[in-house]
Amino acid sequence: MSEENKTEQQNPDQSVGEKYMRTVKSFVLRAGRMTEGQQKAMETVWPHMGLELSQGMLDLTEVFGREAPVVLEIGFGMGDSLIEMAKHQPEKNYIGIEVHRPGVGRLLSNAEKEGLSNIRVFCDDAIEVLAQCIPDGSLSTVQLFFPDPWHKKKHNKRRIVQLAFAETIRKKLKVGGQFHMATDWENYAEHMMEVMSAAPGYRNVAGDQAYSPQPEWRPVTKFQKRGERLGHGVWDLMFERTAD
């Protein structure tokens, strides 16, 4: 889910990983008209479910008004699967990040209809949210389902799953927390496996070089259905943060 590629002024003191994360955009901002309902939700529901970069580093207990495991999903699309998870796992708190405003509006509208109080939403670049708002060691799970595969070889560098990104996620997870990825592009699944197997501080939950079965609590998304219609397989990868 995405935004136009941008070039930013670089600080020569930045590390290579920081430069990479700041300059390479992994998503393209899709144009899309908001429906009347989505726009209304942005106006009426956002004030109590929306989160802003300007809030800075969050106290997640304060944000949700309770202590509970926090699941962060990057790029939730139109939000239907995130709504399902929050609805069926009320014991967890969910933070969704999406740059596509119609998707954010739809999720807010549906969350209100379902009476859900365990969802909060950012409409921002996930890299900025992670850097500015999510405390280290605070998340029980990070979910990345069906990100843009950038399947042309010359575009592979835009894939969000890279070593620098894996390290960013590791810092935000609690020890024992999981980074759960899913894709319907075999080449991207292989890329994810290569990156995550090389990333320090992780353990493959399914075993070395093994993919995980789709857990029953992960809903089938529209991207998965589309991929299956096209004859694609689906690969889940689950990596657990180990002790430092």
Side-chain angles (χ1 to χ4, degrees):
M1 316 322 168
S2 1
E3 205 185 341
E4 293 293 335
N5 185 42
K6 296 176 184 173
T7 302
E8 300 186 26
Q9 184 67 34
Q10 293 303 312
N11 180 332
D13 295 329
Q14 284 178 305
S15 70
V16 172
E18 288 173 329
K19 286 182 181 180
Y20 176 87
M21 297 304 286
R22 287 180 62 81
T23 59
V24 178
K25 293 292 183 183
S26 63
F27 55 81
V28 173
L29 186 58
R30 295 171 293 145
R33 236 174 165 179
M34 297 188 75
T35 67
E36 187 177 332
Q38 291 165 0
Q39 184 61 48
K40 182 179 178 183
M42 290 296 286
E43 294 168 359
T44 62
V45 185
W46 179 266
H48 61 272
M49 282 193 184
L51 297 171
E52 306 274 1
L53 289 176
S54 60
Q55 292 176 247
M57 202 59 69
L58 299 174
D59 179 330
L60 298 182
T61 300
E62 185 178 300
V63 165
F64 289 95
R66 66 173 186 171
E67 285 269 7
V70 179
V71 178
L72 182 142
E73 180 162 342
I74 296 171
F76 58 74
M78 298 306 286
D80 295 349
S81 63
L82 183 53
I83 289 289
E84 284 299 301
M85 287 183 282
K87 180 179 175 181
H88 294 294
Q89 298 183 87
E91 72 280 4
K92 297 179 180 180
N93 292 332
Y94 287 84
I95 296 176
I97 305 174
E98 178 54 62
V99 294
H100 185 53
R101 286 180 62 82
V104 173
R106 179 182 171 89
L107 179 133
L108 292 173
S109 177
N110 287 337
E112 184 180 46
K113 288 175 186 173
E114 295 286 352
L116 299 177
S117 60
N118 60 334
I119 291 184
R120 299 293 184 272
V121 185
F122 280 98
C123 187
D124 288 293
D125 182 340
I127 300 303
E128 299 298 328
V129 171
L130 289 165
Q132 299 181 40
C133 302
I134 305 300
D136 289 352
S138 64
L139 304 176
S140 65
T141 306
V142 174
Q143 299 176 167
L144 179 69
F145 298 153
F146 305 96
D148 192 319
W150 295 104
H151 56 278
K152 291 183 180 179
K153 192 169 183 179
K154 66 180 180 179
H155 292 152
N156 284 178
K157 66 182 180 180
R158 293 183 183 273
R159 290 174 170 176
I160 193 169
V161 180
Q162 307 288 351
L163 277 172
F165 181 71
E167 174 60 14
T168 295
I169 297 301
R170 187 191 68 82
K171 288 179 180 178
K172 302 305 173 181
L173 287 169
K174 295 180 177 181
V175 173
Q178 294 187 352
F179 182 20
H180 181 186
M181 295 150 278
T183 180
D184 64 329
W185 285 84
E186 185 173 12
N187 176 264
Y188 198 5
E190 293 168 350
H191 171 88
M192 289 173 167
M193 183 65 75
E194 180 181 353
V195 169
M196 294 306 300
S197 296
Y202 283 103
R203 177 185 71 85
N204 187 338
V205 174
D208 188 43
Q209 299 298 309
Y211 296 97
S212 294
Q214 178 178 339
E216 60 181 20
W217 46 262
R218 178 173 79 72
V220 175
T221 69
K222 74 169 188 175
F223 292 99
Q224 181 171 342
K225 290 176 183 176
R226 183 183 65 186
E228 289 171 342
R229 283 198 305 272
L230 295 171
H232 296 184
V234 175
W235 293 266
D236 281 66
L237 299 85
M238 301 176 76
F239 280 75
E240 179 181 290
R241 178 183 173 175
T242 58
D244 294 330

